[in-house]
């Protein structure tokens, strides 16, 4: 376990375990009260005592940027709670086969969300305890079937956004869902064909 308690004044942390090594178990709570930016790749979240959820970020009271790549949950953990009053930017990136998890957001100041999923099987279920009123920009690039309940759930959470960046394939799938209506005050959809490296 990374000795976070030795570095209480950290404001930025990039923790990366190589893909070919086992994921690094994180403590139940990071206790980095000065941390503002956090990048975690190939890490595993464990539960709090007697609970079925992990809630590692609630004590990072200044955290505003969080990037999670190829993370996993311990066997007894059912939900990852991203609970923080100041997070404004959240990125969930998956580029290898991992399990799908339930991620519960409690981030009232969230304004930017990026979901990149290049493995069909690993789209995470998202829910939120707040209305995500400040969520303005969303970036989605996923191989998952847009008609699946998980993806439709994402779209409902994103109903307040005014700027969306997607791959062309993802946007085509979204536009085919006739039962879903985006109620944007200002609509600015950018077609970014990410996988084909085409700038639009």
């Amino acid at each position: 376990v990374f000795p976070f308690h030795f570095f209480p004044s950290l404001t930025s942390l990039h923790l990366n375990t190589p893909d070919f090594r086992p994921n690094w178990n994180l403590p139940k709570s990071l206790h980095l009260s000065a941390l503002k930016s956090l990048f975690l790749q190939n890490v595993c979240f464990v539960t709090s005592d007697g609970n079925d959820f992990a809630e590692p970020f609630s004590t990072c009271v200044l955290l505003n940027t969080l990037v999670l790549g190829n993370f996993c949950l311990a066997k007894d953990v059912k939900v990852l709670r991203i609970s923080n009053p100041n997070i404004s930017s959240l990125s969930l990136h998956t580029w290898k086969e991992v399990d799908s998890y339930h991620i519960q957001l409690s981030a009232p100041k969230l304004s930017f969300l990026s979901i990149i999923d290049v493995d069909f099987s690993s789209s995470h279920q998202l829910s939120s305890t707040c209305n995500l009123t400040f969520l303005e920009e969303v970036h989605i690039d996923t191989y998952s079937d847009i008609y699946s309940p998980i993806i439709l759930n994402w779209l409902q959470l994103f109903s307040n956004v005014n700027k969306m960046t997607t791959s062309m394939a993802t946007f085509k799938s979204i536009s085919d869902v006739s039962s879903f209506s985006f109620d944007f005050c200002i609509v600015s959809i950018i077609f970014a064909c990410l996988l084909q490296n085409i700038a639009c």
Side-chain angles (χ1 to χ4, degrees):
V1 175
F2 187 83
F4 292 98
H5 58 284
F6 289 145
F7 307 97
S9 61
L10 276 179
T11 60
S12 180
L13 176 63
H14 187 124
L15 186 60
N16 179 14
T17 303
D19 288 342
F20 58 85
R21 299 190 64 181
N23 287 2
W24 202 339
N25 285 341
L26 293 183
K28 300 168 186 176
S29 183
L30 299 186
H31 294 295
L32 293 172
S33 58
L35 197 65
K36 296 181 179 180
S37 177
L38 178 61
F39 178 101
L40 298 174
Q41 179 176 319
N42 295 330
V43 298
C44 185
F45 297 106
V46 299
T47 184
S48 300
D49 294 334
N51 296 315
D52 61 356
F53 61 87
E55 192 172 12
F57 309 113
S58 59
T59 56
C60 303
V61 293
L62 297 182
L63 187 64
N64 56 47
T65 300
L66 176 62
V67 179
L68 301 179
N70 290 339
F71 68 90
C72 71
L73 303 184
K75 186 178 297 186
D76 55 346
V77 180
K78 296 181 180 179
V79 179
L80 173 62
R81 290 184 177 176
I82 299 179
S83 177
N84 190 283
N86 290 310
I87 287 179
S88 61
S89 176
L90 172 62
S91 299
L92 305 171
H93 296 170
T94 303
W95 53 90
K96 69 177 184 179
E97 185 175 355
V98 297
D99 292 332
S100 296
Y101 302 113
H102 179 189
I103 301 173
Q104 184 182 78
L105 304 178
S106 182
K109 292 186 179 180
L110 188 67
S111 60
F112 173 81
L113 176 62
S114 173
I115 301 173
I116 298 179
D117 168 21
V118 297
D119 183 84
F120 181 87
S121 64
S122 57
S123 293
H124 303 297
Q125 178 184 350
L126 294 179
S127 65
S128 178
T129 61
C130 53
N131 292 328
L132 300 179
T133 306
F134 294 99
L135 185 60
E136 296 181 346
E137 183 174 353
V138 172
H139 176 168
I140 306 176
D141 186 24
T142 177
Y143 277 85
S144 297
D145 182 358
I146 201 69
Y147 292 100
S148 73
I150 287 179
I151 306 299
L152 289 175
N153 167 256
W154 290 2
L155 298 180
Q156 291 169 354
L157 285 178
F158 306 155
S159 61
N160 290 326
V161 305
N162 55 41
K163 183 176 182 180
M164 179 178 289
T165 303
T166 76
S167 64
M168 186 65 77
T170 302
F171 177 76
K172 183 180 184 303
S173 297
I174 292 174
S175 65
D176 289 341
V177 183
S178 59
S179 61
F180 186 84
S181 173
F182 289 99
D183 183 16
F184 295 159
C185 294
I186 302 174
V187 180
S188 175
I189 298 181
I190 300 175
F191 305 99
C193 307
L194 301 175
L195 301 180
Q196 294 84 1
N197 293 320
I198 299 175
C200 301

